[in-house]
Amino acid sequence: MDDVSGNVSKQWNKHHVVYMLEQEFSIRFISSSPHATLMELIKMTDHPIVTFDVKHQEEVMLIPYNLIIAGDNPMQAKECSHGGLKCNYFCCTCKVGGMNVEKRTDKGYCDIFQCGELHTPEETHAQVKHQIQLSKLSGGMDKVKTTVSQSDIQDSATSAIVDQLLELGKVLWKRVTGKPALSEAEVAVHLDSELDALLGGQPLDYHINPLLGMQGLDIHKDTPTEILHTILLGIVKYFWGQTVYILEKGQSLRIFQTRLESINKDGLNSLTLHANYIVRYKGGLVGKHFKSLTQVMPYLIYDLVPQIVLEGWSIIGRLIVLLWHTSIEDTESYLVSALPLSTLI
């Protein structure tokens, strides 16, 4: 699942898209919409899908069984009902992290590199329900904000319900001069009535993230880390930004560009190293640029930056070649590993 651009007439026209990988045949498009939310689309995977079997030349019915849910970090955060990487507890798999005061201590910093207590779908589901109940209380805005900050659980599927209850509660709890204030019981009746209307006759569980209760799937464990945003558009992007700052401060950016233009590129695959473009749009590079830059940076900046920065780029370069492969040298080993286990016994 991901959000993609829906056309070519403008740079970004957001569509949510759902695909399904069927091992024997292909990746199958399931649904796309610029209007429906991600959680509305994912509910479609709860139902069988009719398609055409090219081998047997007949219609077949596919019953989806989710093993993993792929997506980038922001999308996986939504799938896990998590607030994302900017939260205090920034991981959607475990509870690593903490408040800024804690993370700035020596112990807190070291703990960031350790796995924390695992999130569970049941706990997340209960937390989402708790936030909905808090939105009906006096001072609900602050109560919801506090519990989101402490747990970093934020369900996009029910966010509209919570926001609507908070807005109505703010009006009902407000004391207006010359008018009698509503009692706590009266406010509760109004908010309960509003919640029933928002649910539209369906139980509350129907509106909560369906992935939290999907059979055979632990959404917190079954969302593998997506390396594009984590590495290239995460670590490498920010390290590149700091390096550019050093080069500009030392008035060495022109030297860097000259070296990039003249470097021997014969041994590099999937090359995207247009020196003029990279320097001109240094603040707007994408993954393919960083993937190529990591392989040549130590040769370009060896005498332009501090030694610790040079060592950092050397480590990043080694990491990138382990994560991305531009060719498969032994095709047979990949084909064998893709076979069902029963055929290997």
Side-chain angles (χ1 to χ4, degrees), residues 244-276:
V244 168
Y245 171 78
I246 294 172
L247 293 175
E248 289 182 326
K249 189 175 181 181
Q251 298 182 345
S252 304
L253 197 57
R254 186 59 59 186
I255 299 175
F256 170 82
Q257 181 176 351
T258 303
R259 290 177 178 176
L260 183 57
E261 287 175 345
S262 60
I263 195 170
N264 188 341
K265 307 177 181 66
D266 293 340
L268 298 175
N269 293 325
S270 301
L271 188 65
T272 311
L273 288 176
H274 305 293
N276 183 59

Coordinates of all heavy atoms in Angstrom, one line a residue, residues 244-276:
V244 N 27.4 19.3 2.7 CA 27.2 20.5 1.8 C 27.5 21.7 2.6 O 28.1 22.7 2.2 CB 25.8 20.5 1.2 CG1 25.6 21.8 0.5 CG2 25.7 19.4 0.1
Y245 N 26.9 21.8 3.9 CA 27.1 22.9 4.7 C 28.6 23.2 5.0 O 29.1 24.3 4.9 CB 26.4 22.7 6.1 CG 26.7 23.8 7.1 CD1 26.2 25.0 7.1 CD2 27.6 23.5 8.1 CE1 26.5 26.0 8.0 CE2 28.0 24.4 9.1 CZ 27.4 25.7 9.0 OH 27.7 26.6 10.0
I246 N 29.4 22.1 5.2 CA 30.8 22.2 5.4 C 31.5 22.7 4.2 O 32.4 23.6 4.2 CB 31.4 20.8 5.9 CG1 30.8 20.5 7.3 CG2 32.9 20.9 5.9 CD1 31.2 19.1 7.7
L247 N 31.1 22.2 3.0 CA 31.8 22.5 1.8 C 31.5 24.0 1.4 O 32.4 24.7 1.0 CB 31.2 21.7 0.6 CG 31.6 20.2 0.7 CD1 30.9 19.4 -0.4 CD2 33.1 20.0 0.6
E248 N 30.3 24.5 1.7 CA 29.9 25.9 1.4 C 30.7 26.8 2.4 O 31.1 27.9 2.0 CB 28.4 26.1 1.5 CG 27.6 25.5 0.4 CD 26.1 25.7 0.5 OE1 25.6 25.8 1.6 OE2 25.5 25.9 -0.5
K249 N 30.7 26.4 3.6 CA 31.4 27.2 4.6 C 32.9 27.3 4.3 O 33.5 28.4 4.5 CB 31.3 26.6 6.0 CG 31.8 27.5 7.1 CD 31.5 26.8 8.5 CE 32.0 27.7 9.6 NZ 31.7 27.1 11.0
G250 N 33.5 26.3 3.7 CA 34.9 26.3 3.4 C 35.1 26.7 1.9 O 36.3 26.6 1.4
Q251 N 34.1 27.2 1.3 CA 34.1 27.6 -0.1 C 34.7 26.6 -1.0 O 35.6 26.9 -1.9 CB 34.9 29.0 -0.2 CG 34.2 30.1 0.6 CD 35.0 31.4 0.4 OE1 36.1 31.5 0.0 NE2 34.3 32.5 0.8
S252 N 34.3 25.3 -0.8 CA 34.9 24.2 -1.6 C 33.9 23.5 -2.5 O 34.2 22.5 -3.1 CB 35.5 23.2 -0.6 OG 36.4 23.7 0.3
L253 N 32.7 24.1 -2.6 CA 31.7 23.4 -3.4 C 32.0 23.3 -4.8 O 31.7 22.4 -5.5 CB 30.3 24.2 -3.2 CG 29.1 23.4 -3.6 CD1 29.0 22.1 -2.8 CD2 27.8 24.2 -3.4
R254 N 32.7 24.4 -5.4 CA 33.1 24.4 -6.8 C 34.2 23.3 -7.0 O 34.2 22.7 -8.1 CB 33.7 25.8 -7.1 CG 34.0 25.9 -8.6 CD 32.8 25.7 -9.5 NE 31.7 26.6 -9.2 CZ 30.5 26.5 -9.7 NH1 30.2 25.5 -10.5 NH2 29.6 27.4 -9.4
I255 N 35.1 23.1 -6.1 CA 36.1 22.0 -6.2 C 35.4 20.7 -6.2 O 35.7 19.8 -7.0 CB 37.1 22.1 -5.0 CG1 37.8 23.4 -5.1 CG2 38.1 20.9 -5.1 CD1 38.8 23.6 -3.9
F256 N 34.4 20.5 -5.3 CA 33.6 19.3 -5.3 C 33.0 19.0 -6.6 O 33.0 17.9 -7.1 CB 32.6 19.4 -4.2 CG 31.6 18.3 -4.2 CD1 31.9 17.1 -3.6 CD2 30.3 18.4 -4.8 CE1 31.0 16.0 -3.6 CE2 29.4 17.4 -4.8 CZ 29.7 16.2 -4.2
Q257 N 32.3 20.0 -7.2 CA 31.7 19.9 -8.5 C 32.6 19.5 -9.6 O 32.4 18.6 -10.4 CB 30.9 21.2 -8.9 CG 30.2 21.1 -10.2 CD 29.4 22.3 -10.5 OE1 29.3 23.2 -9.7 NE2 28.8 22.4 -11.7
T258 N 33.8 20.1 -9.6 CA 34.8 19.8 -10.6 C 35.3 18.3 -10.5 O 35.4 17.6 -11.5 CB 36.0 20.7 -10.5 OG1 35.6 22.1 -10.6 CG2 37.1 20.4 -11.6
R259 N 35.5 17.9 -9.3 CA 35.9 16.5 -9.1 C 34.8 15.5 -9.5 O 35.1 14.5 -10.1 CB 36.3 16.3 -7.6 CG 37.6 17.0 -7.2 CD 37.9 16.8 -5.8 NE 39.2 17.4 -5.4 CZ 39.6 17.5 -4.1 NH1 38.9 16.9 -3.2 NH2 40.8 18.1 -3.9
L260 N 33.6 15.9 -9.2 CA 32.5 15.0 -9.5 C 32.3 14.9 -11.1 O 32.0 13.8 -11.6 CB 31.2 15.5 -8.9 CG 29.9 14.7 -9.1 CD1 30.1 13.3 -8.6 CD2 28.7 15.4 -8.5
E261 N 32.6 16.0 -11.8 CA 32.5 15.9 -13.2 C 33.6 15.1 -13.9 O 33.4 14.4 -14.9 CB 32.6 17.4 -13.8 CG 31.4 18.2 -13.6 CD 31.6 19.6 -14.0 OE1 32.7 20.0 -14.2 OE2 30.6 20.4 -14.2
S262 N 34.7 15.0 -13.2 CA 35.9 14.4 -13.8 C 36.1 13.0 -13.3 O 37.0 12.3 -13.8 CB 37.2 15.2 -13.6 OG 37.4 15.4 -12.2
I263 N 35.4 12.5 -12.3 CA 35.7 11.2 -11.8 C 35.3 10.1 -12.7 O 34.4 10.2 -13.6 CB 34.9 11.0 -10.4 CG1 35.4 9.8 -9.7 CG2 33.4 10.8 -10.7 CD1 34.9 9.7 -8.3
N264 N 36.1 9.0 -12.7 CA 35.9 7.9 -13.6 C 34.7 7.1 -13.1 O 34.6 6.6 -12.0 CB 37.1 7.0 -13.6 CG 37.0 5.9 -14.6 OD1 36.0 5.6 -15.1 ND2 38.2 5.3 -15.0
K265 N 33.7 7.0 -14.0 CA 32.4 6.4 -13.6 C 32.2 5.0 -14.3 O 31.1 4.5 -14.2 CB 31.2 7.3 -14.0 CG 31.4 8.8 -13.5 CD 30.2 9.6 -14.0 CE 30.3 11.1 -13.5 NZ 31.5 11.8 -14.0
D266 N 33.2 4.5 -14.9 CA 33.1 3.2 -15.7 C 32.7 2.1 -14.8 O 32.0 1.2 -15.2 CB 34.4 2.9 -16.4 CG 34.7 3.9 -17.5 OD1 33.8 4.6 -17.9 OD2 35.9 4.0 -17.9
G267 N 33.1 2.0 -13.5 CA 32.8 0.9 -12.7 C 31.5 1.0 -11.9 O 31.2 0.1 -11.1
L268 N 30.7 2.0 -12.2 CA 29.5 2.2 -11.4 C 28.3 1.8 -12.2 O 28.2 2.1 -13.4 CB 29.4 3.7 -11.0 CG 30.5 4.2 -10.1 CD1 30.3 5.7 -9.8 CD2 30.5 3.4 -8.7
N269 N 27.3 1.1 -11.6 CA 26.1 0.8 -12.2 C 25.0 1.7 -11.8 O 25.0 2.3 -10.7 CB 25.7 -0.7 -11.9 CG 26.6 -1.7 -12.5 OD1 27.2 -1.4 -13.6 ND2 26.9 -2.7 -11.8
S270 N 23.9 1.8 -12.6 CA 22.8 2.7 -12.2 C 23.2 4.1 -11.9 O 22.9 4.6 -10.8 CB 22.0 2.1 -11.1 OG 21.5 0.8 -11.4
L271 N 24.0 4.7 -12.7 CA 24.7 5.9 -12.4 C 23.7 7.1 -12.6 O 23.1 7.2 -13.6 CB 25.9 6.1 -13.3 CG 26.8 7.3 -13.0 CD1 27.5 7.1 -11.6 CD2 27.9 7.4 -14.0
T272 N 23.7 8.0 -11.6 CA 23.0 9.2 -11.6 C 23.9 10.3 -11.0 O 23.7 10.8 -9.9 CB 21.6 9.2 -10.9 OG1 21.0 8.0 -11.3 CG2 20.8 10.4 -11.2
L273 N 24.9 10.7 -11.7 CA 25.9 11.7 -11.2 C 26.1 12.8 -12.2 O 27.2 13.0 -12.7 CB 27.2 10.9 -10.9 CG 27.3 10.0 -9.8 CD1 28.6 9.3 -9.7 CD2 27.0 10.7 -8.5
H274 N 25.1 13.6 -12.4 CA 25.3 14.8 -13.2 C 25.7 15.9 -12.3 O 24.9 16.5 -11.6 CB 23.9 15.1 -14.0 CG 23.4 13.9 -14.8 ND1 24.1 13.5 -15.9 CD2 22.3 13.1 -14.6 CE1 23.4 12.5 -16.4 NE2 22.4 12.2 -15.6
A275 N 26.9 16.3 -12.4 CA 27.5 17.2 -11.4 C 26.8 18.5 -11.3 O 26.5 19.0 -10.2 CB 29.0 17.4 -11.7
N276 N 26.5 19.1 -12.5 CA 25.8 20.4 -12.4 C 24.5 20.4 -11.8 O 24.1 21.2 -11.0 CB 25.7 21.0 -13.9 CG 25.1 22.4 -13.9 OD1 25.7 23.3 -13.3 ND2 24.0 22.5 -14.6

